[in-house]
Amino acid sequence: MEPFTALPGPANSLVVGHRIPQPDRAVARAARRYFDAKRMSVRLARQFVTTTLAAWGITGGSTEDIRLCASELTSNALTHGTRRGHGFLVGLSAFDDLIRLEVHDSRDVSPERHPQVRHAAGTQGSGRGLRIVESLAQDWGVDRREPFGKVVWSHFKAVPEDQQTGLVQRAPRT
């Protein structure tokens, strides 16, 4: 697997006001994996995220937050973001103090199909995924992907295993 070489900058960001790591910021570790557009791929993506983070020494509460967001974002990609015959890509990047989760899909973003937090009624069985991501991640957003598709990303505070206190503290939103 080749590492991510660049991160999208604010100029391509479709969600205004979200913090994106500086493009010159060094990626300490990166991993990505492609998944077929099948229901079982959501479970496999969660396993990929958990295994990768554990290999990097990231465990505990932050791992559960990232894993849950990976589940929500891959479910959304499978349901709303993949074209026939296309799957999705899950990427993780570790910086000194930040984990970036990305889910790449094949469906272009448009005003009527732009991922956004919805306010689902109590009886609705769907529509809460991005609300969960918004509440667990330090930040999240959507970028265009070339030649087609989009990337839905989220950021989490990195808490290496040797620095954990048992309590997960979320950084304030900026």
Side-chain angles (χ1 to χ4, degrees):
M1 275 181 234
E2 61 186 70
F4 297 133
T5 55
L7 294 171
N12 334 0
S13 184
L14 299 174
V15 180
V16 178
H18 287 268
R19 183 178 64 82
I20 297 174
Q22 298 302 313
D24 60 344
R25 195 171 180 182
V27 177
R29 297 181 189 111
R32 59 184 172 180
R33 182 167 296 159
Y34 175 84
F35 296 92
D36 291 325
K38 297 179 180 178
R39 293 176 98 175
M40 66 185 245
S41 292
V42 173
R43 177 179 50 84
L44 296 173
R46 279 193 311 264
Q47 289 173 346
F48 164 70
V49 166
T50 303
T51 302
T52 301
L53 293 173
W56 293 349
I58 309 291
T59 60
S62 62
T63 300
E64 289 306 311
D65 289 351
I66 298 167
R67 185 174 181 262
L68 179 55
C69 289
S71 185
E72 295 298 335
L73 295 179
T74 56
S75 293
N76 284 354
L78 187 61
T79 304
H80 307 290
T82 55
R83 295 179 182 177
R84 180 169 296 229
H86 294 266
F88 57 90
L89 180 81
V90 175
L92 288 166
S93 300
F95 299 86
D96 291 335
D97 61 346
L98 180 84
I99 301 294
R100 180 179 171 102
L101 167 68
E102 297 181 345
V103 178
H104 300 234
D105 66 39
S106 56
R107 187 141 344 238
D108 289 334
V109 69
S110 63
E112 61 275 354
R113 295 190 62 86
H114 189 277
Q116 57 188 330
V117 175
R118 292 183 8 198
H119 301 282
T123 58
Q124 287 180 308
S126 64
R128 294 173 182 82
L130 290 178
R131 181 169 300 287
I132 291 169
V133 172
E134 183 177 61
S135 69
L136 296 177
Q138 277 186 276
D139 204 2
W140 75 278
V142 182
D143 294 315
R144 285 184 176 88
R145 183 172 186 257
E146 296 299 330
F148 57 85
K150 65 185 167 301
V151 179
V152 182
W153 53 265
S154 51
H155 295 163
F156 303 86
K157 184 163 180 59
V159 183
E161 198 169 19
D162 60 349
Q163 295 177 10
Q164 290 185 20
T165 62
L167 299 174
V168 176
Q169 296 181 352
R170 299 196 203 303
R173 288 186 175 264
T174 57

